[in-house]
């Protein structure tokens, strides 16, 4: 588990607003991004245009798999 | 979110989809409303299954179908074994179809111009603008006073319910004219430049949100108690800016809020006025939940949000922001 040691001493939330050092920023920024282990679902190769998917499926002779959600499945859902 | 973790994160599902299907992901909010060729095609497929969108309701789920629009399978369950079964059965059914339904080139799909799409529901990335990925993650404070990620993905394999500990995804769009205007201001003011109100308010209202458990409520203009984000040139590094600021968002009743600080790095090429780096971090305490985001931890807890440039060549980085369903309201967040 990633962690940032001693961070709060320099960073009182909502009040005080101490600056982040470069290393603190880099570490916390990285922590908030998706880890590689969380990103396997993107390796499938999703289209985001249904019509383009239709055209590809027709050309390649494959069926279409559609992941349809309220909120984009590759975005905020 | 749970599908990513429990279904599409699995190697066997990924291989089956990559090898045998053309995969596409879409937002049902648009497609169930679009009165154009795309919307009509989608609904014609979906209405062959159990979800027919009665009363305008959702048709969300996972569908397998042919290029001609024949439904092969439907599933709205995140049990990976049920999804795998549906995929295999759909593939077997596909292979039984007449050659004219399945052979490469047999089905003709006409071209479709963007101008043929219903304008109200067509979202196009801003030409020459910035496509920014936005990822939120709930955090814990550890014994040493630092931060750590909460738990691990996959912790709820038995219930197949995600715990909201993973990184969420959304996208921030900034128009080219907004970027140019901002950089002009930066050049003319060495002491620091505030972000233009439209961008600042857009970030505050639509992107400083807890979307780690689903579609979040966005902030109203009157819920921005404070938002300051300034860009200051970094001495000795041409085109480099340091971003820093503070924010406090809170409902009138105080039952939901987010307050903290922002820090970031921006780099631009002076000749082309092109931004090549936009890394911004918001970190603060968040509290409360929304209608579609139940299960927040009681009380105030740290939430981090990272912004970084997307790759326009990747479909997943061209997905519209969640907050852009009303396009004018998104781009003119300071007015509406």
């Amino acid at each position: 588990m990633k962690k940032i040691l001693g961070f709060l001493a320099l960073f009182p939330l909502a009040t005080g607003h101490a600056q982040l050092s470069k290393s603190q920023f880099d570490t916390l920024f990285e922590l908030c991004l998706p880890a590689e282990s969380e990103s396997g679902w993107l390796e499938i190769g999703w289209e985001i245009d249904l019509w383009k998917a239709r055209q590809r499926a027709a050309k390649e002779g494959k069926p279409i798999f559609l992941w349809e959600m309220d909120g984009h499945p590759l975005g905020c859902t | 979110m749970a599908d990513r973790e429990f279904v599409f994160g699995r190697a066997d599902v990924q291989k089956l989809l990559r090898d045998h299907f053309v995969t596409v992901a879409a937002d049902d909010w648009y497609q169930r409303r679009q009165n154009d060729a795309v919307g009509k095609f989608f609904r014609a497929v979906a209405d062959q299954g159990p979800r027919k969108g009665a009363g305008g309701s959702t048709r969300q789920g996972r569908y397998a179908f042919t290029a001609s629009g024949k439904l092969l399978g439907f599933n709205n369950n995140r049990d990976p074994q049920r999804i795998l079964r549906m995929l295999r059965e759909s593939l077997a059914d596909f292979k039984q179809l007449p050659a004219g339904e399945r052979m490469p080139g047999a089905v003709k799909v006409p071209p479709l111009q963007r101008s043929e799409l219903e304008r109200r529901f067509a979202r196009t990335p801003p030409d020459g603008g910035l496509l920014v990925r936005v990822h939120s993650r709930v955090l814990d404070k550890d014994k040493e006073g630092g931060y750590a990620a909460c738990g691990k993905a996959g912790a709820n394999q038995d219930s197949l319910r995600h715990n909201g500990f993973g990184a969420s995804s959304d996208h921030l769009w900034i128009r080219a004219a907004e970027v140019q205007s901002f950089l002009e201001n930066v050049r003319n003011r060495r002491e620091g430049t505030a972000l233009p109100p439209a961008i600042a308010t857009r970030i505050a209202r639509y992107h400083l949100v807890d979307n780690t458990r689903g579609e979040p409520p966005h902030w109203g203009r009157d819920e921005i108690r404070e938002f300051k984000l300034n860009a200051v040139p970094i001495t000795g590094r041409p085109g480099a800016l340091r971003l820093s600021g503070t924010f406090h968002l809170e409902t009138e009743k105080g039952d939901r809020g987010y307050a903290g600080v922002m820090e970031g790095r921006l780099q631009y090429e002076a000749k082309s006025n092109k931004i090549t780096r936009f890394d911004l971090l918001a970190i603060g305490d968040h509290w409360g939940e929304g209608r579609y985001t139940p299960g927040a931890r009681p009380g105030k807890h740290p939430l981090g949000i990272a912004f970084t440039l997307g790759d326009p060549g990747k479909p997943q980085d061209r997905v519209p922001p969640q907050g852009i369903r009303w396009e004018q309201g998104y781009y003119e967040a300071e007015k509406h």
Side-chain angles (χ1 to χ4, degrees):
Chain A
M1 185 184 298
K2 295 182 275 190
K3 61 171 61 176
I4 299 170
L5 297 176
F7 191 60
L8 279 181
L10 290 169
F11 185 64
L13 289 177
T15 56
H17 306 307
Q19 295 178 356
L20 305 185
S21 71
K22 183 180 183 307
S23 65
Q24 288 167 336
F25 169 79
D26 290 343
T27 308
L28 190 50
F29 184 77
E30 186 70 22
L31 178 65
C32 292
L33 295 175
E36 193 175 327
S37 60
E38 295 175 280
S39 304
W41 59 281
L42 284 170
E43 300 301 316
I44 290 171
W46 300 97
E47 298 282 359
I48 58 170
D49 179 336
L50 177 57
W51 206 262
K52 185 179 176 187
R54 266 192 90 185
Q55 291 173 320
R56 267 192 58 202
K59 183 179 177 185
E60 298 173 19
K62 289 181 176 178
I64 299 162
F65 177 79
L66 168 65
W67 183 13
E68 178 95 0
M69 299 290 287
D70 278 311
H72 202 290
L74 308 189
C76 177
T77 188
Chain B
M1 293 282 286
D3 283 353
R4 297 173 190 169
E5 184 174 335
F6 300 116
V7 180
F8 301 113
R10 288 175 58 115
D12 50 359
V13 174
Q14 291 172 12
K15 179 168 174 46
L16 190 57
L17 287 171
R18 270 200 306 264
D19 290 352
H20 299 288
F21 290 82
V22 172
T23 53
V24 57
D27 186 344
D28 188 60
W29 189 90
Y30 292 97
Q31 292 200 156
R32 70 172 181 257
R33 291 174 167 85
Q34 281 177 259
N35 193 27
D36 54 27
V38 172
K40 289 174 182 175
F41 175 75
F42 164 66
R43 292 191 294 276
V45 170
D47 291 355
Q48 296 168 53
R51 286 209 144 165
K52 304 182 195 305
S57 64
T58 180
R59 287 178 173 85
Q60 72 175 4
R62 301 108 185 132
Y63 297 85
F65 51 96
T66 67
S68 62
K70 177 181 173 56
L71 183 68
L72 300 167
F74 171 81
N75 182 291
N76 194 36
N77 187 287
R78 68 174 62 104
D79 180 342
Q81 296 307 326
R82 292 175 68 168
I83 299 271
L84 281 166
R85 192 182 318 132
M86 186 273 271
L87 290 173
R88 288 174 180 138
E89 290 174 357
S90 296
L91 193 57
D93 289 348
F94 181 76
K95 289 176 179 173
Q96 296 298 315
L97 291 172
E101 283 262 26
R102 61 178 168 78
M103 293 302 286
V107 176
K108 305 298 180 193
V109 180
L112 185 67
Q113 305 300 320
R114 290 210 66 82
S115 58
E116 298 176 68
L117 299 176
E118 188 175 12
R119 180 66 193 90
R120 281 192 304 159
F121 300 118
R123 297 290 176 270
T124 307
D127 190 22
L130 294 185
L131 309 186
V132 182
R133 290 163 42 203
V134 186
H135 301 284
S136 307
R137 190 189 291 279
V138 295
L139 302 170
D140 265 339
K141 292 170 186 170
D142 62 24
K143 291 177 181 174
E144 291 87 9
Y147 285 113
C150 299
K152 290 192 293 186
N156 290 338
Q157 287 289 351
D158 292 338
S159 66
L160 299 178
R161 294 180 67 84
H162 75 95
N163 46 27
F165 293 164
S168 71
S169 293
D170 197 4
H171 304 88
L172 161 68
W173 283 359
I174 301 175
R175 287 170 158 162
E178 295 174 323
V179 172
Q180 301 311 314
S181 172
F182 169 64
L183 292 180
E184 287 301 319
N185 289 340
V186 165
R187 284 199 184 84
N188 297 329
R189 298 182 62 180
R190 303 301 301 170
E191 71 278 16
T193 305
L195 243 63
I199 302 175
T201 315
R202 191 179 311 152
I203 290 174
R205 291 183 60 190
Y206 295 108
H207 296 288
L208 296 188
V209 294
D210 179 7
N211 56 12
T212 55
R213 296 176 310 284
E215 293 180 277
H218 294 128
W219 301 104
R221 278 185 300 162
D222 56 355
E223 291 172 336
I224 303 175
R225 308 283 181 96
E226 177 193 13
F227 186 91
K228 295 175 185 169
L229 184 57
N230 288 304
V232 179
I234 299 176
T235 305
R237 290 181 51 197
L241 302 172
R242 173 170 174 248
L243 306 170
S244 61
T246 57
F247 63 90
H248 178 181
L249 307 154
E250 187 172 348
T251 59
E252 185 178 359
K253 289 191 295 183
D255 58 341
R256 183 167 50 82
Y258 186 32
V261 300
M262 289 170 286
E263 181 73 31
R265 305 288 182 267
L266 187 151
Q267 181 75 42
Y268 67 95
E269 292 175 352
K271 285 185 179 175
S272 63
N273 259 4
K274 183 180 178 187
I275 290 181
T276 57
R277 181 185 183 191
F278 182 94
D279 289 343
L280 176 66
L281 171 72
I283 176 73
D285 276 349
H286 188 281
W287 64 98
E289 59 193 23
R291 180 180 178 187
Y292 302 115
T293 57
R297 295 172 292 176
K300 297 183 177 181
H301 295 277
L303 174 74
I305 302 178
F307 299 70
T308 194
L309 285 182
D311 177 354
K314 293 182 177 178
Q316 64 261 30
D317 289 356
R318 297 197 304 272
V319 167
Q322 170 75 5
I324 205 171
R325 288 175 174 177
W326 181 31
E327 191 168 26
Q328 186 182 12
Y330 180 77
Y331 281 123
E332 299 177 0
E334 82 285 16
K335 297 179 184 173
H336 303 286

